[in-house]
Amino acid sequence: MKIVDIRDAIVPISSPIRNAYVDFSKMTASVVAVVTDVERNGRPIVGYGFNSNGRYAASGLLNERFMPRLREADPESLLNDARDNLDPGRIWSVMMTNEKPGGHGERSVAVGVVDMAVWDAVAKIAGMPLYKYLADNHGDGTHDDSVFVYAAGGYYYPGKDVRQLQDEMRRYRDMGYEVVKMKIGGASLDEDLRRIEAVLEVVGEGRYLAVDANGRFDLATALAYAEALKPYELFWYEEAGDPLDFALQARLGEVYPGPMATGENLFSHQDARNLVRYGGLRPDRDWLQFDCALSYGLVEYMRILEVIAEEGFSSRNCIPHGGHQLSLNIAAGLKLGGNESYPEVFAPFGGFADTIRVENGRVGLPDAPGIGFEQKAALITTMREATNT
């Protein structure tokens, strides 16, 4: 058993939308295929991976460092002790050979893309959905049958007015979502409050609406928004300041009584530990959004779960960023608090299996080997064509 090929490609996920910080007009993503010599139904098992939105394709890092290390490694060194499957932890260690501590930036994206493909291949070789594989091998043997999901949208868009924003949120509710999320910070406070109130007219109560500033605010602005948002009693107030400004986050926790969410732009267990130690987050109400696909992959994500547990946080505090099927499998198999969803943006990488529908704000999982990419026709077609597999 061995990896016989690793391929990568760059695919566009461009869109005219923007949040408070960036527009997505030139956004790209990496797709990776890990080809094995294990066959099912006359075809080799191939694991697929891609990086979440918000970080560009990592082809330079993939081709200069991480994929060559795997190609040069002794195939036996990449297997588990039973020699009946690949070992994601050993593969991760090979990729990170000669990498200095710290600097958890874009390299975490490159490693995460390959790691996703490895886990897809591992579960396929084992002949079971990844969420079941995780529950049996890294959990307590049980998994959630459905996962809470919220609809992420509400982006700023050229010519998009309040009525169009309301129409968007109505579509999400009609799809079966209960909680929706919208962007703030890309307009004035007064305008954002008008947008929030317009959405509340659609969803009815603040507990069905989350807002996301994408790290835009300085302390004064973050506090001004916090004061203005208090009466709405929102589902959460997300990423008010820079992801590494733990002092700002801690100060916000002193004055904002409602739930807060952050962590999507922290990419290691060390940064995650610092956030929960020094960011003033509260385990009884706040949410952690680390994205495994951007954070060195699932191998590192399980380390994140370990370190936050040491600081009093549960896996149920975690609702990952990214809206992809890997996080959905993790949410079910390791019992997280839920998962993000992108019903109308970042296609075909966002969203879930074609046959799965959102019902009462929850989504089920397909009973298919691996992550389940083959159950989403547009996505598997894109990845196969991009990597020529």
Side-chain angles (χ1 to χ4, degrees), residues 95-167:
M95 285 194 287
M96 288 296 289
T97 301
N98 290 328
E99 294 290 324
K100 292 183 68 174
H104 303 296
E106 300 299 294
R107 76 176 180 191
S108 67
V109 178
V111 174
V113 174
V114 179
D115 181 89
M116 184 191 292
V118 168
W119 283 99
D120 187 35
V122 164
K124 287 173 178 173
I125 291 169
M128 60 175 51
L130 179 59
Y131 62 92
K132 291 183 179 178
Y133 184 89
L134 292 175
D136 290 347
N137 293 277
H138 299 278
D140 63 5
T142 65
H143 59 81
D144 292 340
D145 292 323
S146 66
V147 174
F148 162 74
V149 288
Y150 70 89
Y155 286 84
Y156 300 99
Y157 188 94
K160 184 177 182 178
D161 59 22
V162 167
R163 185 177 299 276
Q164 290 170 313
L165 176 62
Q166 289 178 317
D167 289 343

Side-chain angles (χ1 to χ4, degrees), residues 10-315:
I10 299 174
V11 294
I13 54 170
S14 57
S15 171
I17 62 175
R18 67 176 178 89
N19 60 34
Y21 238 117
V22 299
D23 71 67
F24 292 83
S25 59
K26 297 183 179 179
M27 189 61 62
T28 58
S30 284
V31 173
V32 164
V34 171
V35 185
T36 75
D37 65 351
V38 181
E39 292 192 357
R40 294 285 189 275
N41 302 317
R43 292 175 55 89
I45 286 179
V46 180
Y48 294 98
F50 57 86
N51 64 276
S52 294
N53 63 83
R55 300 285 161 172
Y56 296 89
S59 55
L61 292 167
L62 285 166
N63 286 283
E64 291 169 10
R65 282 151 54 189
F66 300 112
M67 294 196 306
R69 288 171 187 161
L70 289 184
R71 294 187 183 112
E72 295 163 7
D74 178 358
E76 289 289 313
S77 71
L78 306 181
L79 301 180
N80 62 13
D81 289 340
R83 297 294 188 263
D84 63 358
N85 210 327
L86 301 172
D87 187 311
R90 290 172 177 168
I91 290 172
W92 193 94
S93 295
V94 167
M95 285 194 287
M96 288 296 289
T97 301
N98 290 328
E99 294 290 324
K100 292 183 68 174
H104 303 296
E106 300 299 294
R107 76 176 180 191
S108 67
V109 178
V111 174
V113 174
V114 179
D115 181 89
M116 184 191 292
V118 168
W119 283 99
D120 187 35
V122 164
K124 287 173 178 173
I125 291 169
M128 60 175 51
L130 179 59
Y131 62 92
K132 291 183 179 178
Y133 184 89
L134 292 175
D136 290 347
N137 293 277
H138 299 278
D140 63 5
T142 65
H143 59 81
D144 292 340
D145 292 323
S146 66
V147 174
F148 162 74
V149 288
Y150 70 89
Y155 286 84
Y156 300 99
Y157 188 94
K160 184 177 182 178
D161 59 22
V162 167
R163 185 177 299 276
Q164 290 170 313
L165 176 62
Q166 289 178 317
D167 289 343
E168 176 189 359
M169 298 305 173
R170 287 192 188 95
R171 290 194 298 273
Y172 298 155
R173 296 299 292 270
D174 290 343
M175 292 176 190
Y177 296 93
E178 293 184 345
V179 177
V180 300
K181 186 172 82 174
M182 61 179 287
K183 300 300 183 180
I184 60 171
S188 68
L189 174 56
D190 287 343
E191 182 177 344
D192 275 339
L193 293 179
R194 287 193 292 271
R195 295 171 65 248
I196 289 170
E197 290 174 359
V199 174
L200 288 174
E201 290 179 9
V202 174
V203 300
E205 301 177 50
R207 65 192 177 102
Y208 296 125
L209 175 62
V211 297
D212 181 7
N214 287 105
R216 183 69 188 182
F217 300 149
D218 59 18
L219 179 59
T221 308
L223 294 176
Y225 267 79
E227 188 64 30
L229 294 176
K230 283 181 186 179
Y232 300 124
E233 298 183 343
L234 299 174
F235 186 80
W236 72 43
Y237 175 19
E238 178 179 338
E239 205 173 32
D242 186 273
L244 289 173
D245 194 343
F246 301 141
L248 182 153
Q249 190 67 49
R251 176 66 181 131
L252 201 61
E254 293 173 357
V255 301
Y256 186 71
M260 302 182 299
T262 191
E264 73 177 64
N265 289 303
L266 300 178
F267 302 142
S268 68
H269 76 270
Q270 294 92 343
D271 283 341
R273 181 170 54 206
N274 282 337
L275 173 64
V276 296
R277 279 181 177 174
Y278 308 118
L281 297 175
R282 305 148 300 185
D284 67 324
R285 76 198 77 169
D286 293 331
W287 302 96
L288 303 171
Q289 300 174 296
F290 314 113
D291 183 339
C292 56
L294 301 179
S295 306
Y296 293 103
L298 177 51
V299 170
E300 180 73 357
Y301 193 84
M302 288 191 284
R303 296 190 188 109
I304 289 174
L305 294 181
E306 291 176 1
V307 300
I308 66 170
E310 294 169 359
E311 303 298 327
F313 289 79
S314 162
S315 62

